[in-house]
Each structure stands twice: as C-alpha cells, then as structure tokens.
Amino acid sequence: MSLPVIAIDGPAASGKGTLARRVAAAYGFAHLDTGSLYRAVGVLLLRLGKDPGDADAAAKIARALKPDDTILTDPDLRGDEAAQAASQVAVVPEVRAALLDFQRGFAKHPPGDARGAVLDGRDIGTVICPDADAKLFVTASVEVRADRRLKELQERGIPAIPSDVLEDMKARDARDSQRAVAPLRPAGDAFVLDTSAMNAEEALAAAIAHIGSKTGLGTRR
Ligand SMILES: Nc1ncnc2c1ncn2[C@@H]1O[C@H](COP(=O)(O)OP(=O)(O)OP(=O)(O)O)[C@@H](O)[C@H]1O
Ligand SMILES: Nc1ccn([C@@H]2O[C@H](COP(=O)(O)O)[C@@H](O)[C@H]2O)c(=O)n1
C-alpha cells in the first residue's frame, strides 16, 4: 500500500519550507526540501570553478547526488550565491531528469518510520508527484516575500540592501516561472494559499484544514 504524499510548491520566500516542515511534524511524515538538491548541484559546480551555466557539468553532478551526501546539509547551501546558482542549474533538462528519481524515491519510500512524505519545491504537484494526495501552492506578494527574506538575512547577521533583495527575488521568480521545463506554476488541482497577510501559525492551520478535507488524515496532536 502506498503512503500518503503531500506536495507543497511556491515561489522563493513564500514560506513553503516553513509550512512543509510543520505539516510533516504534524502528521509524522518525512520532509524533503527539494530546493536543497538544486542548491547542492549549484554549490558543487561553483566549488569546481565551473560556470553555473555549464549544463554538462551540472548534469554530471546531479546524476551522482545521493541522499546521504554531506553537501545536502552544508551551510553554504543557504546563501544567496547558492540560490542564484540553483535557479540557473534548474533550467537544465538533464539536471531535472537526474533529480527526478531521487525525489520520487523519497516520496515512495520516506526514510525511517515516517508514515508519509511532504515534498516542497517548484514542480512537486505538477511533475514529481502529480498523484499527490494533497497539493498546496503557497504564495505571497513579491514585496512581502522580499521583506521576509530581508528579515531572515538580518537575523543571520548578513548585510543586505532592501532594493537588491527585491530585485534578486524578481529575477529568480522570472527564471523559475518562465523556464521551458517544469516552470513554477500551481497544479490545476492545487489549493492556492496566499500567506501575504498570514503568520506561520495561520498558514499551518489553513494547510491542515485543506489536507484534512482532501485526505481525511488527522494530525498527531
Ligand atoms: N506565514 C509567514 N509569515 C511571516 N513569515 C514567514 C511565514 N512563513 C515563513 N516565514 C518566514 O519567511 C522566511 C522564508 O520562509 P521559508 O524559508 O519557509 O520560505 P521558502 O518558500 O521555503 O523559501 P525558499 O524557496 O527561498 O527556500 C523565513 O524567515 C520564515 O521564517
Ligand atoms: N522543485 C524545485 C526546487 C527548487 N528549484 C530551483 O532551485 C532554486 C532554489 O530553491 P529553494 O526552494 O531552495 O529556494 C529555485 O529558485 C528553483 O530554481 C526547482 O527548480 N525545482
């Protein structure tokens, strides 16, 4: 019998990662942040001194990526350089193809004794898990998202110029939603959750209400 899968997609800093972690904890599911896979490919490419636009080198790295590779938890993945490199390697069809089995493997056989899987990214509901039991598309206005990212950077002690953060966010949105392969868009059957005026608790409550209505699943507490 297959285990339940929840797909959570959305643009940068929409809060999908925060929501995915909380949904996974609420249901006792394993969570995969699929952005970290693209970030890992981007960072490894930069460390080899290659250009993030080098499609052949990026595809080779993506094919070799394994679930227990230490790069997947490397703090360098969280930086803006990694985010920009990730969105460049993410346009390469061979990179996306190489990471497909990794993600579907996680959804089908989540690690440990997890009772299901939550995957967050850009194409989970449309490409990776089109048969997911529930799909959410988390969004917020680009200004709200840039403000969240700015606060996050400030909390980490990283200096940032507000207008640069907003422009970077717009550039990544454009690259992610306009690429030819697996562009960022809500699946036809996704529940669109605009968190512009919601805090993380309110977003979680709305997500749980939707997941419950679609699947009949109850949370652990
Ligand atoms: N509903 C919310 N209200 C306010 N802040 C939020 C909300 N959800 C998340 N945040 C904060 O916004 C920032 C971005 O959230 P998060 O990392 O979850 O976004 P993301 O969509 O996964 O981003 P990315 O795609 O860039 O990894 C974090 O600092 C997080 O704590
Ligand atoms: N399913 C996915 C996940 C991510 N990407 C690309 O990676 C970049 C970084 O993702 P974050 O979620 O960590 O911000 C993102 O901008 C996408 O270009 C993807 O294509 N598909």
Side-chain angles (χ1 to χ4, degrees), residues 42-50 71 74-77:
V43 166
L44 290 175
L45 204 55
L46 294 176
R47 284 186 186 170
L48 287 173
K50 307 262 187 197
I71 185 67
D74 192 304
D76 281 358
L77 260 53

Side-chain angles (χ1 to χ4, degrees), residues 11-18 122 148-149 152 172 198-200:
S14 56
K16 63 187 176 301
T18 302
R122 302 292 187 291
R148 287 178 185 168
R149 182 56 28 93
E152 194 182 326
R172 194 138 71 97
M198 282 183 186
N199 62 30

Side-chain angles (χ1 to χ4, degrees), residues 9-12 16 34-35 37-39 83-97 99-100 103 120-128 137 170-186:
D9 291 303
K16 63 187 176 301
T34 66
L37 309 181
Y38 293 89
R39 285 172 184 257
Q84 296 299 338
S87 83
Q88 282 178 266
V89 301
V91 304
V92 179
E94 293 80 5
V95 168
R96 304 201 74 83
L99 298 178
L100 190 79
Q103 297 169 82
D120 81 85
R122 302 292 187 291
D123 61 343
I124 308 304
T126 51
V127 175
I128 306 297
F137 189 87
K170 286 181 178 170
R172 194 138 71 97
D173 281 358
R175 206 158 36 225
D176 287 350
S177 52
Q178 289 165 18
R179 67 180 175 224
V181 190
L184 170 69
R185 63 177 172 80

